[in-house]
Amino acid sequence: MSTDHTGTHGKNSRIALVSGGSRGIGAAVVRRLAQDGWDVGFCYRSDEEAARRVEKEAGELGVRVLAVRADVSHAAEAKAWVSRTEDELGPVTAVIANAGVTRDRPLVLMSDDDWHQVMDTNLDGVFHTCRAAVFPMLKRRSGCVVTLSSVAGVHGNPGQTNYSAAKAGIIGFTKALAKEVGAHGIRANVVAPGLIDTDMTEALSKKDRDRLLSAVAMRRFGTAEEVADLTAFLVSDRASYITGSILEVHGGIAL
Ligand code: NDP
């Protein structure tokens, strides 16, 4: 864990959890929340070096940052990560369920593994992360949830039936959760990005990149920081009456 610049355990009332915070959008969210004065706990699945780098950079902003290896597709690992973060940083007030993977293939060529890996991380992972984090929020009657869906979950994207299904599932999950916990002082919203420049989109073929870019009004990919800005707004008090909403950040994409 990085140096504790904020004083003793539990002094900061803004403590956020970010799944998949070691790279891409999650890493930008960790940095942005740290800039805003949040203590942040995040998890990653395999890239320890990237995780330590983000932990150090965000920690240098003067807040406490805790990176923990946990695969959110396993309920027990997600639960242990949330408990450890609460033990070390204090009560979590915002959770950003961001971890996600792609295994793109046309439906007829899609293997069971392609399907299950995407569902396990992208949909089950959100369930495991939110269930573990929302339980203590309910007892405290306050908190905030942001889930990362995608324009593929809103509109569907060819070659991504698995990913589109998981991301559409996240929307249903979050809308139901918002209704379930609103009266308990907890908000839940969906961020649905379009094409964002990260390792995930780096993996696209040039042909796919060009096809997708031609559908973007602004003719460019978004940055992870542009998604992080929206996420930071949603977990802030400035968004205190926003719940059950899908906020799209896609430069005017028409899929
Ligand atoms: P990246 O591939 O750049 O980063 C993914 C992050 O998630 C990494 O930190 C990775 O950790 C972590 N992760 C992956 N699987 C697991 C797991 N099972 N348990 C814990 N952590 C895991 O992705 P992006 O930043 O591009 O995407 C972030 C989210 O935004 C995803 O949900 C994605 O679907 C969504 N999104 C992205 C878009 C884009 O254009 N980039 C567009 C729309 C939505 P590690 O490196 O250790 O594996």
Side-chain angles (χ1 to χ4, degrees):
M1 186 167 74
S2 61
T3 322
D4 178 354
H5 298 282
T6 57
T8 52
H9 169 98
K11 275 282 164 66
N12 195 346
S13 59
R14 292 188 300 166
I15 299 171
L17 272 175
V18 181
S19 68
S22 55
R23 293 186 290 113
I25 293 169
V29 170
V30 172
R31 287 194 208 94
R32 177 58 213 260
L33 292 178
Q35 274 168 14
D36 289 354
W38 289 75
D39 288 342
V40 189
F42 71 89
C43 77
Y44 61 98
R45 185 184 45 182
S46 51
D47 192 343
E48 164 137 29
E49 207 182 307
R52 295 295 159 221
R53 213 168 28 241
V54 174
E55 187 185 47
K56 184 167 178 291
E57 280 168 19
E60 282 166 359
L61 295 165
V63 294
R64 296 177 302 165
V65 183
L66 175 66
V68 173
R69 205 213 69 78
D71 182 339
V72 294
S73 66
H74 297 294
E77 290 192 28
K79 191 168 176 220
W81 163 51
V82 175
S83 301
R84 183 174 159 195
T85 307
E86 292 227 312
D87 286 348
E88 296 198 23
L89 297 184
V92 166
T93 41
V95 57
I96 295 96
N98 161 80
V101 294
T102 48
R103 296 287 179 273
D104 298 352
R105 229 173 284 283
L107 175 65
V108 292
L109 300 178
M110 190 167 289
S111 69
D112 290 358
D113 259 8
D114 295 330
W115 178 266
H116 289 299
Q117 283 182 22
V118 166
M119 297 309 276
D120 290 355
T121 289
N122 297 19
L123 189 54
D124 293 20
V126 168
F127 161 56
H128 297 149
T129 302
C130 293
R131 183 176 58 180
V134 168
F135 184 66
M137 286 178 183
L138 276 174
K139 288 196 269 181
R140 293 192 291 268
R141 299 188 70 81
S142 82
C144 182
V145 177
V146 174
T147 55
L148 265 291
S149 176
S150 163
V151 290
V154 181
H155 302 285
N157 194 34
Q160 291 194 312
T161 49
N162 51 357
Y163 185 78
S164 302
K167 294 300 188 183
I170 288 173
I171 292 172
F173 171 91
T174 311
K175 286 185 164 185
L177 180 63
K179 290 181 175 166
E180 196 173 301
V181 298
H184 300 276
I186 302 169
R187 296 185 294 109
N189 290 292
V190 182
V191 168
L195 285 171
I196 309 300
D197 207 357
T198 66
D199 294 344
M200 185 177 273
T201 42
E202 187 74 17
L204 289 170
S205 69
K206 177 156 178 358
K207 193 173 146 224
D208 279 346
R209 281 175 80 94
D210 290 348
R211 174 181 63 84
L212 289 164
L213 258 187
S214 68
V216 178
M218 294 183 75
R219 294 291 189 273
R220 68 165 177 89
F221 280 54
T223 64
E225 287 71 28
E226 287 171 320
V227 181
D229 277 346
L230 174 61
T231 307
F233 166 71
L234 281 174
V235 299
S236 76
D237 292 342
R238 286 169 296 156
S240 52
Y241 200 53
I242 302 179
T243 197
S245 297
I246 309 171
L247 287 101
E248 301 186 23
V249 47
H250 54 44
I253 202 168
L255 282 178

